[in-house]
């Protein structure tokens, strides 16, 4: 049993794509199990940069199978745009991609619902990616107006189901916005029938496929999307995404029990970022924040939005590392901190004068958090070409050791640049 999971322990964008890409060659199958085209994974492979959103990064490796499992929500238009762009760059996808017949589909009404809802929330908006992810998961949980990949491929079933769904959604959308002219059932039906034809060769019961693959001794890598703090049950609710983006989502989203995962790797940036709304203790709304943003190119892969930057929050990461039971952590973008004189790490929170190292469950408590910092000296030298842990400057090693101590997990990988080669493995 040598399956691996790579999950984000912060608010997403931890550079998980690079870590998955690095470990992929030791595995036979890469599984994406949650989220949709709200995610953005940047992978630098053979000197080429790829921005993936729905496709697992294993797609870049010949001979490896990529699985989009049941927990993913798929926008067909976005999916085929990504697929066609990869094919145009010479990546042969065909027999290496499998899509779950249980995966849910995103339709135009999902994006419309989301834009009306987010606009109506004004200052309280979640700041979603506007890809229709939340409304699609809402329909999944509601069951009666959801459409899955398996439904799309049954022509008669699909036509009838879509008719009912569109009729209902038109009533809903007109209720929310009286000027709304209504969705055109025939146009959507026609468009999705062309998608059905293109999806056909890829769609299968991926749960059964993965169970059989494990019985055959195949090695699987589970590629997380978003970060644990965006987990709908355990994150900074309601400023979260609509699925279980911590390690808790792997079983539900793929059908593979956790007992098959021999290594759970939690990925963290050496600082913290988030996009979208919600409280964010230790936010650096100043020159240092801007310096980190510019040095780390902290602008969203999906939406281009500037990311909110702040110091490493060990309270948050200690919590998410325990939540998912990580075996080790991978620290990415350490090179970005090379520009700083001093570096702070948030080691505890103070709420109403009380010190705690437990992450609060309510957003109102999070708003009252005063971070307690430990200040560490910077190293002010280029570390981007360093290959061995021993060669890192003493202050960089001290920083890594501090993260490890506060999070309570060994650091096994350190990334010092976007290329595969810019990675320090076995950090002892
Ligand atoms: P949604 O997933 O589009 O519903 O957005 C909900 C929240 O999750 C927003 O704050 C988004 O910015 C955030 N989010 C969703 N996907 C990602 C991601 O891949 N990286 C970082 N933030 C994300």
């Amino acid at each position: 049993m040598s399956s691996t999971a790579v999950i984000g322990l912060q608010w997403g964008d931890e550079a998980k794509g690079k870590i998955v890409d690095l470990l992929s060659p030791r595995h036979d199958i890469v599984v994406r199990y949650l989220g949709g085209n709200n995610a953005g994974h940047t992978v630098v492979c053979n000197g080429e940069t790829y921005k993936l959103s729905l496709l697992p990064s294993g797609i870049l490796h010949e001979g490896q199978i990529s699985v989009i499992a049941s927990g993913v929500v798929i926008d067909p238009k976005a999916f085929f745009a990504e697929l066609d762009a990869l094919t145009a760059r010479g990546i042969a996808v065909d027999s290496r991609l499998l899509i779950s017949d249980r995966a849910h589909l995103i339709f135009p009404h999902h994006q419309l619902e989301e834009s009306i809802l987010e606009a109506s929330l004004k200052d309280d908006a979640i700041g979603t990616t506007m890809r229709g992810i939340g409304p699609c998961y809402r329909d999944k949980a509601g069951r009666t107006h959801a459409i899955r990949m398996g439904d799309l491929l049954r022509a008669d079933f699909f036509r009838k189901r879509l008719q009912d769904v569109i009729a209902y959604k038109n009533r809903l959308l007109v209720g929310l916005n009286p000027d709304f002219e209504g969705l055109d059932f025939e146009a959507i039906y026609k468009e999705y029938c062309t998608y059905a034809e293109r999806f056909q060769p890829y769609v299968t019961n991926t749960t059964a496929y993965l169970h059989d693959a494990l019985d055959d001794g195949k090695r699987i890598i589970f590629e997380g999307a978003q970060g644990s703090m965006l987990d709908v049950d355990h994150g900074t609710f309601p400023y979260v995404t609509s699925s279980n983006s911590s390690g808790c989502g792997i079983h539900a989203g793929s059908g593979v029990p956790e007992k098959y995962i021999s290594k759970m790797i939690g990925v963290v940036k050496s600082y913290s970022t988030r996009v979208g709304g919600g409280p964010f203790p230790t936010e650096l709304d100043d020159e240092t924040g801007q310096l980190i943003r510019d040095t780390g190119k902290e602008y969203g892969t999906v939406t281009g939005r500037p990311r909110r930057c702040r110091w490493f929050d060990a309270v948050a990461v200690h919590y998410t590392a325990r939540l998912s039971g990580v075996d080790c952590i991978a620290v990415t973008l350490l090179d970005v901190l090379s520009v700083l004189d001093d570096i702070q790490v948030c080691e505890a929170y103070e709420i109403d004068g009380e010190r705690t190292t437990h992450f609060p469950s309510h957003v109102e408590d999070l708003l009252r958090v005063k971070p307690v910092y430990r200040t560490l000296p910077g190293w002010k030298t280029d570390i981007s070409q360093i290959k061995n842990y021993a060669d890192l400057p003493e202050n960089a090693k001290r920083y890594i050791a501090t993260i490890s101590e506060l999070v309570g997990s060994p650091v096994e990988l350190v990334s010092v640049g976007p290329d595969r080669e810019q990675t320090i493995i076995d950090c002892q």
Side-chain angles (χ1 to χ4, degrees), residues 297-316:
K297 301 187 184 64
E298 294 294 354
Y299 296 88
T301 318
V302 173
T303 58
R305 289 180 288 179
R307 295 181 184 140
R308 300 160 68 190
C309 294
R310 61 182 194 134
W311 298 118
F312 187 85
D313 184 343
V315 178

Side-chain angles (χ1 to χ4, degrees), residues 11-13 38-40 126-129 226 230 240-241 274-276 305:
W11 278 263
D13 309 314
N38 48 351
I126 294 170
T128 69
T129 57
Q226 287 86 41
L230 295 174
V240 293
T241 191
R274 85 165 295 171
V275 279
R305 289 180 288 179

Side-chain angles (χ1 to χ4, degrees), residues 25 29 36 68 97 112 126 189 219 222 225 232 263 300 318 352 408:
I29 303 167
I68 297 181
L97 178 66
L112 285 166
I126 294 170
Y189 175 69
R219 295 153 305 169
F222 295 91
V232 66
K263 192 141 196 169
H318 179 237
D352 301 334

Side-chain angles (χ1 to χ4, degrees), residues 393-411:
E394 281 312 309
N395 286 348
K397 282 193 240 175
R398 192 162 148 193
Y399 186 66
I400 293 293
T402 304
I403 289 182
S404 176
E405 172 212 318
L406 292 173
V407 173
S409 189
V411 173

Side-chain angles (χ1 to χ4, degrees), residues 13-73:
D13 309 314
E14 297 94 348
K16 297 176 288 294
K18 170 178 167 168
I19 306 298
V20 175
D21 179 63
L22 192 77
L23 301 174
S24 282
R26 299 186 207 162
H27 298 81
D28 306 295
I29 303 167
V30 183
V31 178
R32 169 80 187 271
Y33 56 91
L34 82 154
N37 60 321
N38 48 351
H41 292 162
T42 304
V43 182
V44 181
C45 188
N46 299 329
E48 297 252 346
T49 302
Y50 297 91
K51 290 193 186 295
L52 303 173
S53 201
L54 267 165
L55 288 164
S57 52
I59 210 71
L60 303 175
H61 299 273
E62 257 178 62
Q64 204 163 43
I65 303 289
S66 284
V67 172
I68 297 181
S70 52
V72 178
V73 291

Side-chain angles (χ1 to χ4, degrees), residues 216-235:
D216 291 345
K218 297 272 192 276
R219 295 153 305 169
I220 300 177
I221 183 162
F222 295 91
E223 176 175 38
Q226 287 86 41
S228 302
M229 276 298 170
L230 295 174
D231 186 293
V232 66
D233 285 299
H234 305 286

Side-chain angles (χ1 to χ4, degrees), residues 355-367:
R355 189 184 163 113
T356 180
T357 50
H358 283 146
F359 194 81
S361 53
H362 201 285
V363 80
E364 275 195 351
D365 294 338
L366 208 49
L367 278 169

